[in-house]
Amino acid sequence: MKGTCDGLVIRVSDYGENDKLLTILTADKGKMLVTAKGARSVRSKMLSMSHLFVYANFEYYEKNGRKWLSGGSVSDSFYRINSDIVSFTLASYILQLAAEITGEGVPCEDVLRMTLNTLYAIEHKLKPTDIIKSAYEIFAAEVSGFSPNVLTCDECGCEESTSDWWLDVMNGRILCGACLTEKSRGAQIQPTDELMTRNILLPLDASALAAWRYVMSASPKRIFSFSLTGDSLDMFSRSTEEYIINHLERSFEALEFYHAVKE
């Protein structure tokens, strides 16, 4: 059986003595595992299609329950990402997130489109890397079904506040500073609540909260069309990161490397 699909290589691993196992993100079939025979050889015709970040039309055939790459053509390799270590580590993290929030055989057109748009933004340095990172993290939370309510304070229902805001990570909500003060009654917030759920409360100023609200309501074409700097950007970046890794309940090696090389 033969087939063809457009897709993005989001994971590459060695297989056998000279092959590569590609995880390809496709719109219709979700993640696909395809073996590129001989792709570790510099003389292989599959070499150009067997790298991270490659978006291509892949031709394959099925044999013995496996898919084998037979040919195709590269549409975009995002090659400039590889020339900058910060861009490379951030893009690698984005692919790891994409792999985490998608499944085999589950259509994911929105994830594929957003991932391609994000790689383009990284390659062309359209925005600071932390803005790009955070926008994708919010998107990942939304498509996974656990995005927070950031429109109103969960306690009093206010939309605007003269006090600072707090993101209640594990409960997926925001609290205004006044309500948090009333809730704690001057006492230190405990590490867990009465249900033994971790309490992770992160500060957000008005600009950081506005960025959360913007990304959650923006169209895919406009999702990076905002700006943040200084402490507001730091709050925004930390809050989106803590939110996604705590709800996915895992860390990402590429994210840790990104922070190490970004400093």
Side-chain angles (χ1 to χ4, degrees):
M1 178 180 174
K2 296 182 179 180
T4 182
C5 66
D6 293 329
L8 174 69
V9 179
I10 61 172
R11 184 181 294 150
V12 179
S13 56
D14 292 342
Y15 182 76
E17 293 185 1
N18 206 31
D19 305 338
K20 288 186 177 183
L21 183 62
L22 312 180
T23 302
I24 301 171
L25 190 64
T26 71
D28 298 333
K29 301 179 178 65
K31 289 187 295 190
M32 284 178 49
L33 295 178
V34 180
T35 303
K37 191 172 182 61
R40 288 157 65 185
S41 170
V42 294
R43 293 176 293 181
S44 172
K45 66 177 183 178
M46 309 298 181
L47 183 62
S48 64
M49 306 178 66
S50 303
H51 297 284
L52 282 181
F53 316 127
V54 167
Y55 181 66
N57 177 259
F58 295 91
E59 299 171 0
Y60 61 91
Y61 63 93
E62 296 189 35
K63 182 179 179 181
N64 298 327
R66 300 183 65 90
K67 293 182 176 65
W68 299 82
L69 189 64
S70 59
S73 58
V74 174
S75 300
D76 197 337
S77 64
F78 297 99
Y79 68 94
R80 278 177 285 192
I81 285 176
N82 294 284
S83 64
D84 181 281
I85 187 62
V86 174
S87 296
F88 177 81
T89 54
L90 175 57
S92 298
Y93 169 54
I94 297 302
L95 295 193
Q96 289 179 4
L97 264 183
E100 186 71 18
I101 64 176
T102 54
E104 293 184 40
V106 181
C108 59
E109 182 178 356
D110 290 348
V111 177
L112 176 59
R113 182 172 62 249
M114 178 61 181
T115 305
L116 290 170
N117 289 347
T118 302
L119 293 182
Y120 181 89
I122 294 171
E123 180 183 34
H124 295 275
K125 304 183 186 302
L126 299 185
K127 288 288 180 176
T129 53
D130 277 350
I131 284 181
I132 298 172
K133 175 188 73 70
S134 289
Y136 194 91
E137 288 167 338
I138 293 173
F139 168 80
E142 286 190 282
V143 299
S144 300
F146 50 74
S147 57
N149 172 23
V150 296
L151 294 179
T152 61
C153 172
D154 194 63
E155 292 288 332
C156 69
C158 69
E159 296 182 13
E160 305 296 335
S161 173
T162 56
S163 61
D164 290 333
W165 293 91
W166 295 81
L167 177 67
D168 183 351
V169 171
M170 301 312 295
N171 291 302
R173 62 179 184 167
I174 56 170
L175 299 170
C176 69
C179 285
L180 184 64
T181 300
E182 176 63 24
K183 190 176 179 66
S184 66
R185 299 186 182 277
Q188 183 176 359
I189 299 296
Q190 296 302 306
T192 59
D193 62 17
E194 61 273 12
L195 299 177
M196 299 306 291
T197 299
R198 291 178 65 199
N199 275 321
I200 304 176
L201 296 166
L202 301 177
L204 296 173
D205 63 14
S207 296
L209 178 58
W212 264 95
R213 290 170 172 170
Y214 174 81
V215 172
M216 291 183 66
S217 63
S219 67
K221 291 183 179 180
R222 302 287 298 171
I223 201 165
F224 301 118
S225 298
F226 68 99
S227 297
L228 276 181
T229 58
D231 291 343
S232 297
L233 178 55
D234 291 341
M235 289 181 186
F236 180 59
S237 177
R238 183 190 175 200
S239 65
T240 60
E241 184 177 307
E242 289 288 337
Y243 194 86
I244 193 67
I245 64 176
N246 276 282
H247 281 271
L248 290 177
E249 298 183 323
R250 60 155 296 182
S251 59
F252 294 87
E253 183 179 353
L255 176 61
E256 296 172 6
F257 195 20
Y258 166 72
H259 284 302
V261 299
K262 185 171 69 76
E263 299 302 328

